[in-house]
Every structure is written in C-alpha cells, then in structure tokens.
Amino acid sequence: MSDDEVRSEIRQTASELCSQSSSLLTAGEREKLVNDVMDEAFGLGPLESLLRDPSISDILVNGPDTVYVERNGRLELTDITFGNEPHLLQIIQRIVGRVGRRIDETSPIADARLMDGSRVNAIIPPLALDGSLLCIRRFSAKPLMAADLIAKQSIAPEMIDFLAGCVKARLNLLISGGTGSGKTTFLNLMSGYIPHDERIATIEDAAELQLQQRHVVRMETRPANVEGQGQVTMRDLVRNALRMRPDRVIIGESRGPEALDMLQAMNTGHDGSMTTLHANDTRDALSRMEMMVGMAGFDMPMWVIRKQIASAVHIVVQAARLSGGVRKITKISEITGMEGDIISMQDIFQFKQTGLDSNRVAQGHFISCGIRPKCLEHLNVMGVNIQPDMFEGQSLSF
C-alpha cells in the first residue's frame, strides 16, 4: 500500500470516529481534529499549519510554549504551542532522523533540512536552558527569479545584467552577508545563469540549494556517529569533488578550512565557481577568507594567502538585511589584483541608504560607482556584451 493510500485510509477512519461524536463536536471542529491527527501522524505536528503558509520565511521555536514566525521581515508571536517538552523533542528528532542525523543528550546540536530544502537548526537540553530550540529557515517551493528581486527592489536590473554576464563568462563569485540576508537565495539565482551543458558539483552542510540545471551532482556532509567515527567534512567533499570532473564547484557556505580547497579549485581550472560566507562588507569578506584559509593548518605567509585569494576570486557581492526586514544587494565589488601585500578592490555598484520611512523601513537607491570593471574586456572575449554606459556613475532606476 502506498503512502497516499495509507494517509487516505487513516483520514477516513479518523473522520468516521469523529462522526460518532457529532453531538459533541461541530463540523469545523471535527475537520480540525482530523487535520491535527494527520499532521501529528505524518507531519511535524503543530508546525504543519505554519509550513503551509507561504508568507512565513522563518519559524522560531523557543521551547514548547513559544513560537515566533517572520513575515515580511518582521517577527510575530503565534498562538501555536506544543503539548510539552517531550512532544517538541519528538518533533525535532523526527526532522533530524529523516535526513540520517541524530540529536540527543550526547549530541545536543544538529543541523538538518526539511524535504523541501528548508534549513533546520536545533539545540536541546542541557544546552538549551528553557526548553528545546528549533529554527527553520523556509525556502520557497518556486525559486526566486531575477524579475522577483527587481520587483522587490532588492537589486537593480543593471546589476543583474552585469552579474549574469560574469557567471556566463566563468568568473568566480563570492557572495557575503549576514544571517538571513539572502545569500543562499541569491546564489540559487546566480546559478540559473550557468549553461545547461556544464557539470556542477554542489557541496553543503545541509542540502538547500535549488539548482535548475540538469547535470548537477549534490553532496552533503555527515557528522560523526555515536562512537565518534564516520565524519565526512566539507573539506573531504571539496577534495573529492575535484576528482569528479566538475566544470564548476559550488559550496553552499564556506565557514572553515575548506576555503583553502575552494581557492585551489578556482585556481586550477574550475572557473565560474561560487560560494557564500558571513561578512559585513565586501572588504571584510576577504579578511574572513584569509582567516578561514589560515584554519587549514598550513603555515603560509599572509602575502601568499592574499595572492591566492586575489587570483581566485573575481567578484564579491554583498547582501544585507536592512531595517524593516528588507533585503538588498548593497554592493558589488571587483578584485583587481595585488598592490604590494594588499588585495586591490574597487566598487562597481552600491546601494545608498538615505533614511527610514514612517514604518522604519530602509529607503535609498542603487548607484553605479563610475568605475568601469577591469573584467569587462574578458566578458567581451567570452561573448558577453555589457553596455559600458551602465558604469558611468549614476543612479539606477527600476
């Protein structure tokens, strides 16, 4: 019997049992009770109603009695509750177990994902003092397209045209930003400009990328088991990916020594690779990259590390979540080489914030910084025609 048939039979049985108490429950109450039973048996219990709401971007559970959601960039307290702490823990273990991971007192922190790719982080007692904590970063079933971001005024059309050209011309991209700034969403968007005849290897801690190409090989890290054995790190997967004949390597997020292997891939024929990292500015992103390469354990002089970064990374894109919850691409910078021991960088586009409106939502406009990119000649050689007048130092309109 298929899963759908089992669900249908259980729903029918639950409805029949509820109908026997029709004098106690109204039709609406019976329907709600049946839905609650189905959610508890096959879904994620009280969270299912929130997961069905497309307007919710984050679900934040602070113990069994407190559940917040984010809508339109703002947090709201909901009336959703769990029966008790064991009930919440059961739901967390169900989520984690579905992707082959575990969470218990010996390993009280877990990263996982839902079947739709939504990112999950959980932490349970004794580390969580007031009840188990669960964070779910929702991802749209339909990936956002360039037109969607332009309509939201998250990026200007000229900026999209330039970055799309960079991807097609196989320049290496680094997307930086804070938590919840939209780095992964933008990485998904940029990957859409990769030609369909290229082989792409993706590497993530918890698989959440939604690439649209046909030829994609997806890999996911694995934590150690109860005995402390069997761990597969991001770095292991990056090194293995280089043996799989990829045209491009995409790392969901660089956060450790795998940054060195990523730079090696970018410098050894895997042009057009991409990754994200946490940083507050494009210049800070390079400092973060230097630090992560240093975590690889090799005693390399700083000038060697910087030279590797300068030759590997071509474009750095900064994403930010501004006041009021609006997300913007606030800066696009180009790495132009080395000046002495310093990486040389120039800003191509920028978002200038001018203030806040009456709802304390960030206001501003996009500008080109008046600098013609050094990579423009390479784009032309690769058959990507970019109009040079978009770089002439002006406000960009929608």
Side-chain angles (χ1 to χ4, degrees):
M1 185 178 291
S2 67
D3 287 348
D4 289 341
E5 291 173 334
V6 171
R7 289 172 184 249
S8 178
E9 189 166 323
I10 291 179
R11 175 175 283 277
Q12 183 178 351
T13 302
S15 297
E16 290 173 355
L17 290 173
C18 286
S19 64
Q20 295 175 9
S21 303
S22 58
S23 60
L24 301 177
L25 299 173
T26 66
E29 290 171 338
R30 290 199 301 271
E31 180 65 21
K32 182 179 184 304
L33 180 57
V34 170
N35 288 334
D36 289 345
V37 170
M38 296 298 292
D39 290 343
E40 196 63 44
F42 295 101
L44 301 180
L47 297 179
E48 282 295 323
S49 61
L50 302 179
L51 293 171
R52 287 191 288 264
D53 187 343
S55 67
I56 293 176
S57 57
D58 283 274
I59 301 173
L60 308 173
V61 181
N62 303 342
D65 301 320
T66 309
V67 179
Y68 283 88
V69 297
E70 181 186 282
R71 282 191 181 92
N72 301 318
R74 298 184 183 276
L75 291 177
E76 302 174 8
L77 178 64
T78 70
D79 57 0
I80 300 294
T81 60
F82 293 81
N84 48 35
E85 173 63 24
H87 182 206
L88 172 55
L89 183 57
Q90 180 186 42
I91 297 299
I92 292 174
Q93 290 174 333
R94 185 180 301 174
I95 295 172
V96 171
R98 285 177 177 175
V99 291
R101 306 202 174 192
R102 66 185 182 90
I103 187 166
D104 51 41
E105 287 190 3
T106 61
S107 181
I109 302 176
D111 287 312
R113 55 182 165 81
L114 302 183
M115 293 300 103
D116 64 357
S118 296
R119 182 191 312 164
V120 177
N121 175 265
I123 179 168
I124 66 172
L127 300 188
L129 301 181
D130 300 316
S132 299
L133 306 176
L134 176 66
C135 303
I136 301 176
R137 170 69 50 77
R138 299 286 310 284
F139 287 99
S140 172
K142 179 184 176 183
L144 288 176
M145 307 303 289
D148 300 317
L149 294 189
I150 292 172
K152 295 175 182 290
Q153 298 191 4
S154 296
I155 189 170
E158 292 88 345
M159 298 163 71
I160 283 284
D161 291 342
F162 173 67
L163 291 175
C166 291
V167 173
K168 294 172 184 175
R170 299 182 64 87
L171 297 184
N172 297 320
L173 262 64
L174 176 62
I175 301 171
S176 68
T179 300
S181 60
K183 299 186 299 298
T184 302
T185 298
F186 197 72
L187 180 59
N188 274 324
L189 172 62
M190 288 294 98
S191 70
Y193 296 104
I194 298 174
H196 285 270
D197 60 351
E198 295 188 16
R199 177 175 169 88
I200 307 167
T202 69
I203 300 163
E204 303 171 81
D205 270 331
E208 53 189 321
L209 292 174
Q210 298 172 306
L211 272 62
Q212 307 303 305
Q213 283 73 11
R214 294 186 298 268
H215 200 163
V216 179
V217 290
R218 305 171 69 215
M219 289 168 280
E220 185 178 60
T221 61
R222 183 178 70 185
N225 60 18
V226 177
E227 292 80 22
Q229 304 296 319
Q231 182 182 26
V232 180
T233 66
M234 188 85 78
R235 196 169 186 196
D236 296 329
L237 292 178
V238 175
R239 286 184 297 207
N240 186 74
L242 302 185
R243 306 186 186 104
M244 300 175 67
R245 198 239 169 256
D247 291 302
R248 305 186 192 225
V249 178
I250 297 180
I251 296 182
E253 181 180 336
S254 295
R255 62 180 72 177
E258 68 274 2
L260 175 61
D261 301 284
M262 184 67 184
L263 291 179
Q264 295 297 320
M266 290 176 170
N267 275 321
T268 54
H270 300 89
D271 300 329
S273 296
M274 308 180 210
T275 188
T276 73
L277 56 76
H278 281 82
N280 293 327
D281 187 72
T282 52
R283 175 61 67 177
D284 291 342
L286 302 186
S287 299
R288 282 269 297 154
M289 184 69 77
E290 292 173 12
M291 182 191 69
M292 290 188 292
V293 171
M295 294 168 63
F298 297 103
D299 189 16
M300 291 186 292
M302 185 57 68
W303 70 268
V304 173
I305 296 175
R306 289 175 177 168
K307 191 171 183 179
Q308 285 283 310
I309 295 172
S311 61
V313 182
H314 302 116
I315 302 294
V316 186
V317 181
Q318 183 68 29
R321 184 176 180 274
L322 304 179
S323 179
V326 294
R327 293 171 173 85
K328 304 278 187 183
I329 299 301
T330 56
K331 190 179 289 186
I332 298 174
S333 302
E334 178 189 30
I335 295 178
T336 57
M338 296 281 292
E339 292 184 1
D341 291 343
I342 304 300
I343 299 174
S344 179
M345 174 184 282
Q346 59 186 16
D347 297 336
I348 308 300
F349 296 103
Q350 196 171 358
F351 176 75
K352 285 286 189 182
Q353 183 173 337
T354 56
L356 304 177
D357 65 10
S358 58
N359 295 319
R360 300 196 60 78
V361 176
Q363 300 293 299
H365 57 273
F366 293 99
I367 63 169
S368 60
C369 298
I371 298 175
R372 184 171 295 189
K374 187 178 178 181
C375 64
L376 206 56
E377 182 179 349
H378 174 75
L379 266 62
N380 291 329
V381 169
M382 296 295 290
V384 178
N385 295 317
I386 299 292
Q387 296 299 323
D389 56 358
M390 72 168 65
F391 307 108
E392 292 180 354
Q394 57 191 346
S395 293
L396 307 177
S397 58
F398 289 89

